[in-house]
Amino acid sequence: GNSVTQMEGPVTLSEEAFLTINCTYTATGYPSLFWYVQYPGEGLQLLLKATKADDKGSNKGFEATYRKETTSFHLEKGSVQVSDSAVYFCALSDLTDSWGKLQFGAGTQVVVTP
Amino acid sequence: GAGVSQSPRYKVAKRGQDVALRCDPISGHVSLFWYQQALGQGPEFLTYFQNEAQLDKSGLPSDRFFAERPEGSVSTLKIQRTQQEDSAVYLCASSLRDRGISTGELFFGEGSRLTVL
């Protein structure tokens, strides 16, 4: 079956540091890949997505590239801010499976200190 | 409304009680999803509606879980005879298109946190 594995948190960084959150996946079909973010007290929000191999998703200074050869979709940001403190979830959907499902990773908490 | 609204935000139930969780999706959104999120885990898919039709309920963990969306808008997730393992945050999400999942454009509510004592 499909699965998503992402690095455990919490990840604690100083402001302006470089952030990487690793995400790898297994899928039997041709998944689309996503990063969702959950800020404190808020619902999950789509951060970025990529629908095919070598696509790069980007938003709010975050980037992730769909790497089929390494089955990865690592999230990066060059200079984090305190406002980036949140829980980040990697997810996939596979249209060869039920397209009603998103498969999520366990989430990575990021704490950015001033 | 402006976003997906869920109620109640917090629910404490005694083991064996029935609970009902409500979801008001974004107006006009065809697709509606329920997910269960245990503490420290990612959301797990429960069920999916397209309008009033429940197209996928493969994630419902037992026959104590039941979801409905009779008029294709508001949805209710009902849990009968609650057990301690049902304690979790229940997330509702909606999407405008019936294949909205293919672009990941799901809009999530803040969730209903259920605690079963």
Side-chain angles (χ1 to χ4, degrees):
Chain A
N2 298 335
S3 68
V4 175
T5 302
Q6 58 182 109
M7 62 188 289
E8 292 186 15
V11 174
T12 303
L13 303 165
S14 297
E15 205 165 22
E16 300 183 359
F18 185 86
L19 170 68
T20 299
I21 305 175
N22 290 338
C23 171
T24 57
Y25 68 90
T26 59
T28 54
Y30 304 93
S32 296
L33 300 173
F34 311 91
W35 279 99
Y36 276 80
V37 59
Q38 187 170 30
Y39 299 105
E42 298 184 16
L44 282 161
Q45 303 172 25
L46 178 64
L47 180 60
L48 53 83
K49 64 182 186 285
T51 57
K52 62 183 186 297
D54 299 325
D55 270 1
K56 177 185 284 187
S58 61
N59 185 27
K60 299 182 179 180
F62 289 89
E63 292 183 342
T65 302
Y66 188 158
R67 302 288 190 197
K68 189 175 180 180
E69 63 276 14
T70 55
T71 63
S72 66
F73 192 55
H74 305 322
L75 182 69
E76 297 181 337
K77 185 173 185 181
S79 177
V80 293
Q81 305 300 312
V82 172
S83 58
D84 294 324
S85 298
V87 182
Y88 294 82
F89 292 91
C90 185
L92 69 82
S93 70
D94 187 346
L95 295 183
T96 64
D97 193 357
S98 168
W99 45 269
K101 297 176 184 174
L102 271 174
Q103 184 77 41
F104 284 90
T108 302
Q109 183 179 11
V110 173
V111 178
V112 181
T113 58
Chain B
V4 177
S5 177
Q6 293 188 244
S7 61
R9 290 291 312 281
Y10 302 92
K11 175 69 178 179
V12 178
K14 293 182 179 180
R15 188 162 56 94
Q17 284 185 331
D18 297 348
V19 299
L21 308 176
R22 176 188 169 102
C23 173
D24 277 281
I26 294 173
S27 178
H29 277 198
V30 170
S31 303
L32 185 144
F33 304 81
W34 283 99
Y35 285 81
Q36 180 190 57
Q37 187 176 15
L39 187 63
Q41 301 297 315
E44 296 280 344
F45 172 84
L46 293 178
T47 187
Y48 162 74
F49 290 85
Q50 182 176 324
N51 295 306
E52 69 278 4
Q54 189 174 21
L55 298 187
D56 188 339
K57 54 181 180 180
S58 61
L60 295 176
S62 77
D63 58 8
R64 296 185 297 103
F65 287 71
F66 173 77
E68 60 183 5
R69 194 187 185 197
E71 297 179 358
S73 56
V74 171
S75 177
T76 302
L77 176 67
K78 297 179 179 179
I79 309 173
Q80 297 177 323
R81 304 181 303 281
T82 52
Q83 304 295 316
Q84 284 187 323
E85 61 263 28
D86 300 335
S87 295
V89 176
Y90 290 86
L91 300 172
C92 178
S94 69
S95 174
L96 178 59
R97 299 184 296 173
D98 60 346
R99 286 189 176 268
I101 190 68
S102 66
T103 62
E105 295 173 7
L106 292 189
F107 297 85
F108 282 84
E110 294 181 30
S112 293
R113 182 179 296 277
L114 172 65
T115 303
V116 182
L117 302 178

